[in-house]
Amino acid sequence: MIQLNTNSTMRNIRPTLKQRLNWALTFTLANGLIATVIGLNYLRWMSVSDGYTTAYVFTLYGGQFFLLAMVFGLPLILLAFAPWRTLLITLGSFWAAILICLLSLDTAVYAQYRFHLSGFVLELAAQAGQEVFNFSGRTWLEAGFVATGVLIGEIVLAWVIWHWHPRFLWLGAAFATTLAFQMTAHGWHAWADAHYDTRITTITRHVPLYYGATAKRFFKENGLIDPEKIREQAQLQEMVGARSRAEKPDYPKHPLACLTPESPPNILIIAVDSLRWDMLDEQWMPAVSRLAKSSLVFHNHRSNGNATKPGIFTLFYGLPASYWDLFSSTHTPPLLIQRIQELGYVLRILSSTTLVSPAFDRNVFSSVENLRLQTPGSSAWERDAQITDDWLASMEEWQQEQRNQPFFGFLFYDSPHSFSPPPDFPRVEPFWDPVNVLELDNDFDPEPYFNVYKTTVRYTDHLIDQVLEDLRQRSLLDNTIVLITADHGKEFNENGKNYWGHGSNFSDYQLRVPLIIHWPGREPAEIYRDTVHFDIAPTLLRSVLGCSETPAENLASDFGLFAENSRHWTIAHSYMSHALLIDDTIVVTDPAGNVDILDKNLEPKASFPASAVLVQSVLQELARFNKN
């Protein structure tokens, strides 16, 4: 008589929670190893030239791909609490196969466009139909065989692991090692970033979903680094070739065709953090409004960013902020600054907010010597007053010692962003004091808060008035282009969706900004056609700095403020998300890859008319200046 081992049979049918968790963790780590192997495809784009960079890449890979497997393996951990072994293995195998196929697809997308796969790209392709990726039947068949093979392989791997039970001790050690690699890589990157070490910072952008840590401000505050001294040493090393630029962007697309202007004008760019377009009113900005009457006023101008980082980047480069990592890691300045320096301009860069975070010292102003990274002052209004005083003093110095050279100035005011007016400056009533953003909600009356903002705008206009009046008294306005704009706008719940401030959506309230250009030799005009920050750099390069023979498309992502041809779409970025703006539609992707299609009032839309030509143009623009 055969006696069945009931306990053993039940264990096979109903495995314990420990067994199921053991399997899920081991299966996750195994797929982390598979992901690491696939990730070796990204090595061809990295400059790994010595033992130092090799060690960093080893550390980076040792943490990142296993960590991705751990994050995306969390559903398996939750599924392991269900008591059914077959269901766990089946769903786990399908889930792992999908993720491995997506990673493989990302390597193919990266090889072609030099950016990683995202929900944004997939949504554009879905809206445009099969014309974007018009694969042959054979290609689809081959892809199907590969996907099937991956799935079969995952199923086999899953069952093998089920019958092989490593101890929890080894699993714990593996996860601890992964986290140690990850923390080491981030710390290494933060230290390299603070020391302008492009050998390290140029590597990380090639790894999917990796955002290398930065801590320059922390290192400075704790006395671990001297940013000004480090920056000077890095510039010197690059000048003598001691520090190589491992990877340079394909920028410009072709060499500039420029002539030296006979009498180049002075250029002054004044940017006000968070200044909305509707603040250009005599009630709030009387000084700037007076200047506008004798200037070019662009009434439908938008920034290509809803935050400072993308707003200032796109202003100077005329390129999408998706290039931030590439230009920062290689310390590649914008062509606008390069050309200004070639022509012998005297540069004066004065910012109320730090130039370290966001790290404009590593991109926009990376070639500027003796760059002041931090303006003294405990509040925004004090720093705004300080940069105004410093500008006036520098103009006195310039007129006495360097007036034979044209000057380029950049003044970046911060009070409207920080809601920081001087204590004795007249208030717009009713005035919210103190400001407590924790009280903001959909039922909050925005007027007192908006009045704080208007007060800071008036204060900033008062400071700009001093700058403009000084130019008048020195008889310089007739030979100085003065451009006044903002990095982004500011929202006070106008859409009724509880949005306050900036960086949270791509509506007009956060993107639309003033653009006033006092341009000697040009008749005043009010211009109502759509323009964007992408237009500014090519306009100055081609119309002011002698590069009129250089096509705008070699320099930037749009054609210029005065071009007859322009795109009917543009790209805007936030801190982590970005959007395609086309007609009355906003296509937004968030860091998790989710995509929303919205109208201008942020209401959901089912779809938008995306053609294959449009999608291909957008994808090309996001990759056009990458080195192939």
Side-chain angles (χ1 to χ4, degrees):
M1 185 175 193
I2 300 175
Q3 184 176 1
L4 294 176
N5 189 332
T6 306
N7 292 334
S8 175
T9 303
M10 289 301 298
R11 279 198 301 269
N12 287 331
I13 298 175
R14 297 277 181 143
T16 64
L17 176 61
K18 181 178 179 180
Q19 286 178 307
R20 299 192 302 271
L21 286 174
N22 190 318
W23 175 86
L25 293 171
T26 307
F27 188 63
T28 296
L29 285 175
N31 275 282
L33 179 61
I34 295 172
T36 302
V37 172
I38 295 173
L40 296 177
N41 284 291
Y42 301 110
L43 286 175
R44 70 178 113 164
W45 313 114
M46 303 177 188
S47 179
V48 185
S49 56
D50 52 31
Y52 182 75
T53 51
T54 300
Y56 175 72
V57 169
F58 178 79
T59 305
L60 176 62
Y61 268 66
Q64 179 63 6
F65 289 98
F66 281 98
L67 183 65
L68 289 179
M70 290 163 58
V71 171
F72 287 105
L74 288 177
L76 298 186
I77 307 300
L78 297 176
L79 190 61
F81 284 88
W84 303 288
R85 178 187 64 179
T86 302
L87 178 67
L88 175 63
I89 290 178
T90 301
L91 293 182
S93 299
F94 271 95
W95 177 240
I98 290 171
L99 295 177
I100 292 298
C101 287
L102 284 175
L103 180 61
S104 300
L105 179 59
D106 183 76
T107 64
V109 171
Y110 197 81
Q112 182 172 355
Y113 292 108
R114 217 70 79 250
F115 57 73
H116 294 289
L117 188 66
S118 67
F120 179 73
V121 175
L122 293 175
E123 181 66 32
L124 290 182
Q127 293 289 330
Q130 296 183 356
E131 295 179 11
V132 176
F133 301 112
N134 189 16
F135 299 134
S136 66
R138 179 177 178 179
T139 302
W140 283 112
L141 185 62
E142 291 175 351
F145 275 121
V146 171
T148 302
V150 171
L151 176 58
I152 293 173
E154 290 289 351
I155 293 173
V156 171
L157 177 64
W159 282 106
V160 168
I161 291 175
W162 183 262
H163 295 288
W164 173 61
H165 305 291
R167 296 183 179 181
F168 268 108
L169 177 65
W170 294 109
L171 292 174
F175 279 97
T177 302
T178 295
L179 293 176
F181 272 115
Q182 186 73 198
M183 297 299 294
T184 302
H186 277 290
W188 198 335
H189 184 274
W191 189 254
D193 173 76
H195 287 77
Y196 299 87
D197 190 347
T198 59
R199 294 175 300 169
I200 300 302
T201 57
T202 55
I203 288 174
T204 55
R205 61 179 293 267
H206 300 292
V207 180
L209 297 177
Y210 186 80
Y211 306 99
T214 59
K216 190 182 297 182
R217 185 181 296 184
F218 171 82
F219 292 147
K220 179 184 178 182
E221 291 174 351
N222 288 274
L224 298 175
I225 64 170
D226 181 345
E228 286 80 5
K229 185 176 181 180
I230 290 174
R231 188 172 187 276
E232 291 174 2
Q233 292 174 344
Q235 286 182 324
L236 179 61
Q237 289 176 326
E238 289 181 353
M239 287 175 60
V240 300
R243 178 174 292 183
S244 63
R245 291 183 176 181
E247 169 195 20
K248 293 183 180 180
D250 190 14
Y251 173 76
K253 292 300 295 182
H254 300 285
L256 299 182
C258 303
L259 298 174
T260 301
E262 290 185 7
S263 181
N266 306 309
I267 303 173
L268 172 61
I269 297 178
I270 300 176
V272 182
D273 201 330
S274 305
L275 184 64
R276 291 160 50 130
W277 86 98
D278 54 356
M279 291 296 100
L280 184 59
D281 184 285
E282 292 183 354
Q283 187 176 11
W284 315 123
M285 302 192 78
V288 175
S289 295
R290 285 195 299 272
L291 181 72
K293 292 178 181 178
S294 59
S295 304
L296 301 168
V297 181
F298 296 83
H299 287 283
N300 288 309
H301 187 79
R302 290 167 179 79
S303 172
N304 290 100
N306 65 8
T308 296
K309 174 180 170 179
I312 296 299
F313 183 90
T314 56
L315 170 65
F316 279 91
Y317 284 95
L319 300 175
S322 54
Y323 291 104
W324 172 277
D325 288 340
L326 173 59
F327 284 79
S328 299
S329 63
T330 56
H331 299 170
T332 303
L335 292 171
L336 177 60
I337 296 294
Q338 293 182 48
R339 181 61 178 160
I340 283 169
Q341 291 178 309
E342 288 175 3
L343 293 175
Y345 275 74
V346 176
L347 275 71
R348 189 61 167 150
I349 311 299
L350 295 168
S351 175
S352 176
T353 185
T354 177
L355 296 178
V356 173
S357 179
F360 297 121
D361 62 321
R362 294 196 292 119
N363 45 55
V364 175
F365 305 118
S366 60
S367 60
V368 178
E369 296 181 359
N370 302 316
L371 180 68
R372 186 169 75 187
L373 303 179
Q374 187 79 45
T375 295
S378 59
S379 63
W381 72 263
E382 291 176 301
R383 294 191 296 272
D384 284 352
Q386 184 65 57
I387 67 172
T388 303
D389 291 342
D390 292 343
W391 172 261
L392 298 177
S394 72
M395 289 306 300
E396 180 66 27
E397 178 184 349
W398 173 84
Q399 197 158 42
Q400 291 181 4
E401 302 178 7
Q402 299 170 302
R403 62 180 307 158
N404 292 328
Q405 298 172 263
F407 66 78
F408 171 83
F410 176 65
L411 291 172
F412 190 22
Y413 289 101
D414 190 44
S415 290
H417 169 262
S418 302
F419 295 95
S420 171
D424 57 349
F425 193 81
R427 268 53 175 158
V428 179
E429 297 292 345
F431 187 87
W432 192 23
D433 187 25
V435 171
N436 180 9
V437 295
L438 296 179
E439 297 181 21
L440 297 174
D441 58 32
N442 231 13
D443 298 322
F444 187 87
D445 179 8
E447 184 182 7
Y449 191 29
F450 201 3
N451 286 344
V452 179
Y453 173 75
K454 291 174 179 176
T455 301
T456 61
V457 170
R458 276 185 175 175
Y459 170 66
T460 305
D461 180 79
H462 165 71
L463 298 177
I464 294 174
D465 188 32
Q466 297 178 39
V467 173
L468 298 176
E469 187 58 32
D470 182 70
L471 292 175
R472 290 189 186 97
Q473 292 180 3
R474 297 180 190 278
S475 301
L476 290 173
L477 270 181
D478 290 339
N479 190 38
T480 302
I481 293 176
V482 181
L483 188 153
I484 301 176
T485 189
D487 52 351
H488 54 80
K490 180 79 79 174
E491 184 169 0
F492 293 88
N493 198 28
E494 283 85 356
N495 285 305
K497 297 182 180 297
N498 203 29
Y499 285 117
W500 302 85
H502 64 278
S504 53
N505 66 58
F506 296 92
S507 68
D508 272 2
Y509 294 103
Q510 298 195 30
L511 288 181
R512 193 173 168 192
V513 297
L515 177 61
I516 305 100
I517 307 179
H518 168 78
W519 196 314
R522 284 186 179 266
E523 291 294 323
E526 296 189 52
I527 301 166
Y528 289 90
R529 71 180 186 84
D530 290 343
T531 57
V532 292
H533 269 10
F534 288 164
D535 291 310
I536 293 176
T539 299
L540 294 176
L541 279 162
R542 302 180 73 243
S543 299
V544 180
L545 301 175
C547 302
S548 59
E549 297 301 315
T550 302
E553 55 265 32
N554 288 348
L555 310 170
S557 292
D558 220 316
F559 304 105
L561 295 169
F562 309 116
E564 294 182 2
N565 57 330
S566 63
R567 304 186 193 279
H568 68 290
W569 57 268
T570 194
I571 300 166
H573 278 76
S574 186
Y575 301 107
M576 300 291 287
S577 59
H578 57 279
L580 170 65
L581 310 176
I582 172 173
D583 299 328
D584 62 346
T585 302
I586 307 171
V587 184
V588 184
T589 180
D590 64 22
N594 301 312
V595 177
D596 293 316
I597 303 175
L598 310 171
D599 64 18
K600 294 246 175 170
N601 297 318
L602 305 182
E603 296 295 335
K605 295 180 67 174
S607 63
F608 69 100
S611 66
V613 173
L614 167 67
V615 173
Q616 289 167 349
S617 297
V618 173
L619 297 181
Q620 180 187 35
E621 201 56 43
L622 290 170
R624 193 159 59 93
F625 291 92
N626 287 321
K627 182 73 74 174
N628 293 324

